[in-house]
Amino acid sequence: MTLPNTPAILVTGGAGFIGSHTVVSLIEAGFRPVIVDDFSNSSPNVIQRLEQITGKAIAYYTLDCLDLQGLKTVFAQETISGVIHFAAHKAVGESVQQPLKYYRNNLDSLLNVLSLMQEYQVQDLVFSSSATVYGQPDNLPVDEQAPLKPAESPYGFTKQVGEQILRDACKVSALRSVLLRYFNPIGAHPSGLIGELPLGPPNNLVPYIIQTAAGLRERLTVFGNDYATPDGTCIRDYIHVVDLAQAHVQALKHLQKQTEASYCEAFNIGTGKGNSVLEVIQTFIQETNQGLPYTIGPRRAGDVTAVYASVQKAEKQLDWHAERSLAQALVDAWRWQCSLK
Ligand code: WQD
């Protein structure tokens, strides 16, 4: 139960895919989330869905984080004790075509949030980073000590720069930050009320699978089967979005326990297990009994062969681990897709 004057957790991008699931987890853990979202890549009906799932009224502001004055009114009106910053553009291919849009949006939004946190003396920030910062790691599973590789896209570079901005800012201010490096988030809330809503043809594997099974796409193309992996297709660490959401709650609790002002640490958030594209396809067919037309196509530019997480640091320090299986994530994603019909 949340008390009426419980300090708020500001969730930028809180109506988006990972943000909305995190809002549910925050409420379940007794926090009071306040959403800031411009609904540029999400639907306003997510707010009602969140209220339906949680049975709580959800506070939200329709606002672009680039609007510094607008964001300032939120900090002035709410007593904010921490921030989870999701708001960002995230389409890798689009970022190659429109790099300035990505640099301006993703970096200025973060800078606006940080300047207001400083002004209103808010210490704790959880930042959405990505496993993309590792590129193709030299060793697997990849741990947080692994060197960051040159970014393959402006999107990926905004995550590397975002991390560096936070490391620099934490050194010289009261700011404390956890950088969560997400592996491949998939799935949906088991209620089928919230999930991922890609605009146009999906770029990511699981949204493409479920739209193909639903008849919205003719066939899935597997991007290459000549990689140096057991079945020739790329390997990723697919994590259920509800597990990922819970990692944010644990990160926030972890920050609140810190005594040093300059704390800044990165954590891998994955399952620790790699699955190939063909394994994902087979698991989907087996679990849902749906037909899934697919064909093998050429490699996609920029894809790494294999990446999966070492999750020991998150297990030990955040007291968190993924509990849900690939099969469960695919069934939940399929339930969500069916609810859209
Ligand atoms: C997974 C695998 C594809 C689509 C990307 C971003 C990353 C993060 C998550 C966040 C790969 C293959 C895919 C298809 C396929 N972004 N595939 N056919 O590339 O690991 O990570 O999303 O916001 O930064 O780079 O995820 O789901 O696109 O691909 O064969 O139609 O599925 O080649 O091996 P990726 P993905």
Side-chain angles (χ1 to χ4, degrees):
M1 201 181 86
T2 42
L3 300 169
N5 51 3
T6 308
I9 303 300
L10 182 68
V11 186
T12 73
F17 175 43
I18 305 171
S20 59
H21 290 82
T22 300
V23 166
V24 174
S25 294
L26 284 168
I27 292 174
E28 285 170 354
F31 289 98
R32 189 171 71 84
V34 168
I35 294 174
V36 163
D37 204 300
D38 66 356
F39 300 105
S40 60
N41 194 19
S42 56
S43 163
N45 78 17
V46 168
I47 304 292
Q48 289 107 59
R49 300 289 183 92
L50 290 173
E51 291 181 336
Q52 208 177 325
I53 293 170
T54 62
K56 292 259 160 60
I58 308 280
Y60 75 99
Y61 295 80
T62 305
L63 201 63
D64 182 337
C65 290
L66 293 182
D67 175 0
L68 182 62
Q69 284 314 312
L71 203 53
K72 188 171 169 146
T73 60
V74 181
F75 276 80
Q77 276 173 39
E78 305 281 348
T79 306
I80 295 170
S81 67
V83 178
I84 306 183
H85 181 54
F86 292 106
H89 293 325
K90 61 171 187 177
V92 177
E94 185 188 56
S95 80
V96 176
Q97 298 306 318
Q98 300 179 57
L100 302 188
K101 173 177 167 178
Y102 275 68
Y103 291 128
R104 181 171 298 115
N105 183 69
N106 292 7
L107 299 178
D108 274 357
S109 293
L110 175 62
L111 293 172
N112 283 350
V113 166
L114 288 177
S115 65
L116 290 169
M117 287 179 71
Q118 197 161 26
E119 189 176 336
Y120 286 84
Q121 297 177 356
V122 182
Q123 271 194 293
D124 297 338
L125 177 78
V126 180
F127 177 65
S128 295
S129 188
S130 169
T132 195
V133 300
Y134 296 120
Q136 176 60 66
D138 301 324
N139 298 302
L140 288 171
V142 61
D143 69 22
E144 292 84 352
Q145 307 292 325
L148 306 191
K149 297 282 174 68
E152 287 279 352
S153 69
Y155 162 78
F157 195 46
T158 66
K159 292 301 174 190
Q160 293 190 350
V161 176
E163 285 199 1
Q164 190 59 44
I165 288 171
L166 290 170
R167 277 189 283 269
D168 291 343
C170 284
K171 272 185 212 148
V172 294
S173 68
L175 183 70
R176 307 184 293 202
S177 188
V178 161
L179 321 172
L180 295 183
R181 293 178 177 160
Y182 311 152
F183 282 67
N184 287 59
I186 60 164
H189 193 267
S191 65
L193 289 169
I194 53 172
E196 193 169 7
L197 257 186
L199 295 174
N203 298 310
N204 298 118
L205 179 63
V206 172
Y208 213 102
I209 287 177
I210 59 179
Q211 289 196 8
T212 305
L216 301 173
R217 311 274 157 212
E218 200 181 332
R219 65 183 61 248
L220 169 77
T221 302
V222 174
F223 296 141
N225 68 350
D226 57 351
Y227 286 93
T229 62
D231 67 20
T233 64
C234 293
I235 291 175
R236 298 287 182 273
D237 185 334
Y238 295 93
I239 171 139
H240 196 300
V241 66
V242 174
D243 282 326
L244 177 55
Q246 284 168 358
H248 292 77
V249 172
Q250 292 305 104
L252 205 55
K253 289 181 179 168
H254 181 69
L255 281 173
Q256 290 176 342
K257 281 190 295 202
Q258 295 309 313
T259 46
E260 40 162 332
S262 58
Y263 183 89
C264 186
E265 285 289 330
F267 293 89
N268 286 344
I269 303 296
T271 64
K273 188 175 180 308
N275 286 105
S276 72
V277 176
L278 289 178
E279 282 171 344
V280 175
I281 292 171
Q282 277 146 17
T283 308
F284 178 82
I285 294 170
Q286 200 178 314
E287 294 293 321
T288 64
N289 289 316
Q290 296 300 308
L292 182 65
Y294 70 89
T295 179
I296 307 293
R299 291 182 176 199
R300 180 173 69 177
D303 273 342
V304 299
T305 302
V307 60
Y308 50 94
S310 160
V311 289
Q312 286 177 7
K313 186 174 175 186
E315 277 176 2
K316 281 198 195 119
Q317 297 184 34
L318 301 183
D319 190 22
W320 172 90
H321 65 271
E323 290 172 358
R324 292 159 182 81
S325 65
L326 174 66
Q328 220 172 330
L330 294 171
V331 167
D332 288 337
W334 179 238
R335 184 183 302 108
W336 160 247
Q337 179 62 49
C338 294
S339 81
L340 296 174
K341 280 179 186 164

